[in-house]
Amino acid sequence: MASSDTQTPAEHPETPFHDLDHYLAIPKVSGLALSPDGGRLVTTVATLNDKGTEYRTALWELDPAGKKQARRITRSAKGEAGAVFAADGSLYFTSARPDPESPDAEPVNALWVLPADGGEARVALSRAGGIGGLLAAKEADALFVTASVLAGSTDEENDEERRKDRKDNKVAAILHSGYPVRYWDADLGPAQPRLFAVEPGAEPEPGKPVTVDALPPVKLRNLTPDAGNGLREADIAVSPDGKTVYSSFTRPLANADSRTVLVAVDVAAGTRRVLLDTEGMSYFPGPVSPDGRTLVVLSETDTTPEQAPRIALHLLDVSGDSDGGDAALTPLAQGWDRWGHPAAWLPDGSAVLVTADEDGASPVFRIAVPGNAGGEAAPVRLTADAAAYTDVAVSPDGRSAYALRSSYEFPAEAVRIDLASGDVTRLPAPAGRPAYRGKLERVETTSADGSRVPGYLALPEDASAGNPAPLLLWIHGGPLGSWNAWTWRWNPWLLVARGYAVLLPDPALSTGYGQDHIQRGWGEWGKAPFLDLMAITDAVEQRPDIDETRTAAMGGSFGGYMANWVAGHTDRFKAIVTHASLWALDQFGPTTDSAQYWLKEMTAEMAAENSPHLHVEKIRTPMLVIHGDKDYRVPIGEGLRLWYELLSKSQLAADENGETDHRFLYFPDENHWILQPQHAKVWYGVVEHFLARNLLDKDIPVPDELGL
């Protein structure tokens, strides 16, 4: 976003949100790992490089007691991520930075280790295909990695040879025999994910003198050589003793369909056993109980055109006394009308900590294990604030939990939660909270059918009856989601700093308000969700500090779909911004990366009834279309068709000189999101230009980088 008219580059902006260069430079915190003794916390911090073209990640150590300042423990141009503590306190992570002991080797994403007692990080293992995720047992010397293997490779040496051949011969072709073939922004294949155990390796030169700090060699043992594509996007949990790994596993079905089953991998034997496999249901593992006997399981029903998915939590006896199957599942929080995500067990095994969307927040809940003495009958909300919690870990004594917390008032930060009182303490952070200027309010109204429609409203500080603010309706994606956490992509304070009020509603289909709120909009996107959005916009426009004559609607993904639908069903808005949006549902269904999911959600008749493209002739509002070519979830064909049909069929179609009020911002190398910081700057700059032109009658220049 361009600087204000009165600001020069040498001036200090009022807040980071008044200058996009400053906004992009705000450090971004993600991930949280707790050491086995509870004495160390490690998080990942991303910072902008000097050129402003990419983010570098580094590991930072935080003090769980909250007394010491955060300190950076890794530093490299390639960055570090995926921190995991081993049972002995060693910290493992992945990085593509060069190995100082092999400076001529081509850098790959390798496994690195920081000893528990300090020292410099060193490469523990490197392989041609790189390392993906890391997992460790809590009570045993057992470390696991996920990594890709070319489907036809016989072993690690053969895999390296095959990769070299493809690279040397510049072959990128992939021969598929199944579905899917791509995911979000990644072309799938020919490599497939595998699960490996990290084990002691053979000494390269036995008996050769070394220093006392020499690391013993390690090697990988493939635990799932015949997994095919079953482990793609898998959720994985490790038993405390490291003897069993539990994983979701994609099972292919007829007609290019699939479902997710639950498997157990015996580490010693390298065998895989199916624990849960039910038609019309998918299963995902949660954490394993401290005694290793019980696994938390999340189940999700298949969607149908009439029925939204239902998510539930269960306990599964994995002690060996049960053969598994649905009969062995014990409901956890039976009847709870929220979609819980299991996070961690209490050390005594009495309860499980869970996060779930809840009325504009995503708190931490405690759920007692059935049959536990003194256990509550229903989930107990532990965190009372209007914030979203992730990455929850419990201290060894069971008195505290640690998590990342964010809200619309601050980005993700590490906190300590007192599990007895629910009190939350912010820990000393790698960077301060970014200051913003504005007001945040919780608002709501009632829709035509009597349903509650809640949301957030972010306002400039000076918005008043004498100075009403223009209004931006922001529609969230998903659609199964909620406006409840800080977002870097759609950050309201950037537009509030420009004088706009931003409305963030949770219409029908949003999570955190019960199954009925989701079901109200299921299969009828253009009905209840649209009516809810218009109802809450009507209510907010009645406020004296809002200028109802200057409004715009904006959204991405499903929010972009809804922006398109809004454009064809009302001319109340002066501008519409639609990003990565669904336009022609008959075209979208078979071309998205997960067509098998979409085609269960709507019949052909429902898709036609809810498709925005059939109403293009009614569009008389200027639209800014934004799309990335690497978007496989909402393929570029949606954006291309939308753009052509706006110019050829809308009421603002191109005139005899080829001129139009519509605009198309195209990113050849971005995906469903805009991830590169220089492109984020262009994104916001063009959005500001478009809004100012149509709402404020101001001509704010587009970013110079566009070359216009």
Side-chain angles (χ1 to χ4, degrees):
M1 192 178 298
S3 300
S4 64
D5 295 338
T6 59
Q7 182 183 319
T8 64
E11 293 178 341
H12 190 283
E14 183 179 351
T15 75
F17 303 94
H18 286 76
D19 185 283
L20 195 56
D21 288 322
H22 285 246
Y23 170 73
L24 293 172
I26 298 173
K28 299 172 173 60
V29 174
S30 63
L32 198 64
L34 179 66
S35 63
D37 63 2
R40 300 175 65 194
L41 274 172
V42 170
T43 190
T44 302
V45 180
T47 54
L48 194 64
N49 68 2
D50 294 338
K51 295 181 179 180
T53 55
E54 64 180 359
Y55 289 98
R56 297 171 178 164
T57 56
L59 302 184
W60 284 68
E61 184 168 337
L62 313 177
D63 178 16
K67 298 178 181 179
K68 300 177 182 178
Q69 184 55 270
R71 67 186 185 96
R72 185 170 179 169
I73 58 176
T74 66
R75 189 182 301 270
S76 75
K78 292 292 185 179
E80 299 83 25
V84 168
F85 279 101
D88 66 357
S90 298
L91 181 66
Y92 287 86
F93 60 89
T94 60
S95 178
R97 59 182 177 175
D99 181 358
E101 298 185 9
S102 302
D104 296 330
E106 183 175 346
V108 295
N109 206 42
L111 178 65
W112 290 70
V113 60
L114 266 171
D117 55 357
E120 288 203 28
R122 291 176 287 178
V123 172
L125 185 141
S126 182
R127 61 186 298 273
I131 300 293
L134 309 181
L135 305 102
K138 288 187 176 181
E139 299 176 1
D141 182 17
L143 183 69
F144 305 90
V145 302
T146 56
S148 65
V149 172
L150 294 178
S153 299
T154 57
D155 54 31
E156 285 288 273
E157 183 177 339
N158 181 242
D159 189 65
E160 183 173 359
E161 293 173 355
R162 286 168 173 264
R163 290 177 184 275
K164 186 176 184 302
D165 285 345
R166 281 180 63 88
K167 182 178 180 180
D168 291 348
N169 290 291
K170 302 185 184 303
V171 173
I174 304 168
L175 177 63
H176 291 283
S177 59
Y179 190 85
V181 300
R182 53 188 191 170
Y183 189 73
W184 286 115
D185 64 347
D187 294 306
L188 304 183
Q192 299 174 337
R194 298 287 185 265
L195 176 66
F196 293 87
V198 181
E199 298 181 339
E203 292 283 353
E205 298 181 60
K208 186 176 182 179
V210 295
T211 57
V212 295
D213 68 336
L215 286 176
V218 296
K219 65 178 182 180
L220 297 182
R221 178 165 61 92
N222 194 339
L223 299 177
T224 55
D226 61 343
N229 283 311
L231 291 173
R232 203 175 298 282
E233 302 301 318
D235 292 342
I236 303 176
V238 178
S239 64
D241 61 10
K243 294 181 179 180
T244 310
V245 178
Y246 302 97
S247 178
S248 58
F249 194 89
T250 301
R251 175 185 171 185
L253 302 174
N255 302 318
D257 198 1
S258 64
R259 68 168 172 264
T260 303
V261 303
L262 182 68
V263 302
V265 177
D266 185 299
V267 174
T271 56
R272 184 175 69 252
R273 180 167 65 102
V274 176
L275 299 180
L276 296 171
D277 181 0
T278 306
E279 185 177 356
M281 187 79 73
S282 288
Y283 297 102
F284 306 88
V288 187
S289 62
D291 63 7
R293 298 175 61 88
T294 307
L295 176 70
V296 180
V297 175
L298 184 148
S299 67
E300 179 177 349
T301 60
D302 282 358
T303 65
T304 70
E306 295 76 29
Q307 184 63 56
R310 290 182 176 271
I311 290 177
L313 299 176
H314 317 266
L315 300 178
L316 179 65
D317 182 356
V318 292
S319 64
D321 300 329
S322 170
D323 292 330
D326 286 347
L329 286 173
T330 301
L332 185 64
Q334 188 171 19
W336 190 33
D337 199 17
R338 295 295 183 268
W339 288 4
H341 301 278
W345 285 79
L346 296 189
D348 62 3
S350 63
V352 178
L353 298 187
V354 172
T355 60
D357 288 351
E358 170 77 3
D359 201 357
S362 188
V364 178
F365 296 85
R366 181 178 62 244
I367 304 178
V369 171
N372 180 63
E376 299 90 342
V380 174
R381 180 170 174 168
L382 295 178
T383 55
D385 53 354
Y389 290 79
T390 63
D391 300 88
V392 179
V394 179
S395 64
D397 61 11
R399 296 179 180 177
S400 303
Y402 302 94
L404 294 184
R405 173 185 68 171
S406 78
S407 76
Y408 283 109
E409 297 180 310
F410 49 84
E413 60 187 23
V415 297
R416 182 179 65 249
I417 306 167
D418 186 304
L419 293 180
S421 66
D423 292 340
V424 180
T425 303
R426 182 183 178 219
L427 298 177
R433 282 184 180 178
Y436 64 88
R437 297 287 181 267
K439 303 173 288 186
L440 184 68
E441 298 181 14
R442 191 74 171 146
V443 295
E444 67 175 72
T445 192
T446 302
S447 195
D449 64 358
S451 299
R452 174 177 175 240
V453 187
Y456 285 102
L457 179 64
L459 291 152
E461 285 184 327
D462 61 353
S464 64
N467 184 38
L471 179 67
L472 306 179
L473 167 65
W474 281 13
I475 311 167
H476 70 64
L480 303 177
S482 170
W483 289 117
N484 61 23
W486 184 273
T487 169
W488 296 105
R489 172 68 269 141
W490 290 81
N491 194 288
W493 302 117
L494 286 166
L495 276 301
V496 169
R498 295 298 183 267
Y500 297 96
V502 179
L503 175 60
L504 305 161
D506 280 345
L509 291 173
S510 300
T511 54
Y513 307 94
Q515 192 73 24
D516 289 344
H517 195 70
I518 297 170
Q519 190 64 43
R520 282 181 60 237
W522 193 256
E524 297 180 327
W525 287 8
K527 293 184 179 180
F530 170 70
L531 296 175
D532 286 359
L533 291 168
M534 296 304 99
I536 196 168
T537 302
D538 289 340
V540 169
E541 285 181 350
Q542 294 175 15
R543 295 169 55 116
D545 53 1
I546 295 297
D547 183 353
E548 75 280 3
T549 68
R550 297 185 295 171
T551 62
M554 302 171 59
S557 194
F558 168 79
Y561 158 88
M562 189 55 68
N564 295 338
W565 185 264
V566 166
H569 287 78
T570 178
D571 60 0
R572 66 183 295 171
F573 299 102
K574 289 187 174 296
I576 290 177
V577 179
T578 180
H579 175 101
S581 64
L582 291 70
W583 175 241
L585 297 189
D586 60 338
Q587 170 183 277
F588 165 79
T591 59
T592 180
D593 61 350
S594 295
Q596 80 282 13
Y597 182 93
W598 169 258
L599 296 176
K600 294 177 185 177
E601 186 166 339
M602 286 191 186
T603 64
E605 293 76 18
M606 293 165 69
E609 185 177 354
N610 290 277
S611 190
H613 83 285
L614 297 176
H615 306 276
V616 64
E617 291 88 352
K618 302 174 186 176
I619 294 177
R620 54 187 301 178
T621 305
M623 296 185 68
L624 170 59
V625 180
I626 308 175
H627 221 110
D629 201 271
K630 292 287 288 182
D631 186 348
Y632 295 163
R633 179 54 48 96
V634 182
I636 185 60
E638 297 297 296
L640 294 175
R641 182 170 175 179
L642 168 57
W643 179 240
Y644 174 74
E645 293 185 348
L646 284 175
L647 267 61
S648 61
K649 297 181 180 180
S650 77
Q651 295 187 34
L652 296 176
D655 62 19
E656 61 274 12
N657 296 316
E659 298 294 328
T660 178
D661 289 333
H662 301 306
R663 295 292 184 269
F664 183 17
L665 179 59
Y666 168 68
F667 293 95
D669 57 349
E670 293 284 4
N671 58 17
H672 199 60
W673 303 273
I674 305 301
L675 300 179
Q676 299 176 58
Q678 69 272 23
H679 286 162
K681 187 174 180 179
V682 168
W683 192 98
Y684 275 111
V686 172
V687 167
E688 186 191 0
H689 160 81
F690 187 75
L691 293 175
R693 174 175 177 167
N694 289 286
L695 270 69
L696 310 180
D697 293 325
K698 290 184 178 180
D699 186 14
I700 296 177
V702 297
D704 289 340
E705 292 85 350
L706 289 172
L708 299 176

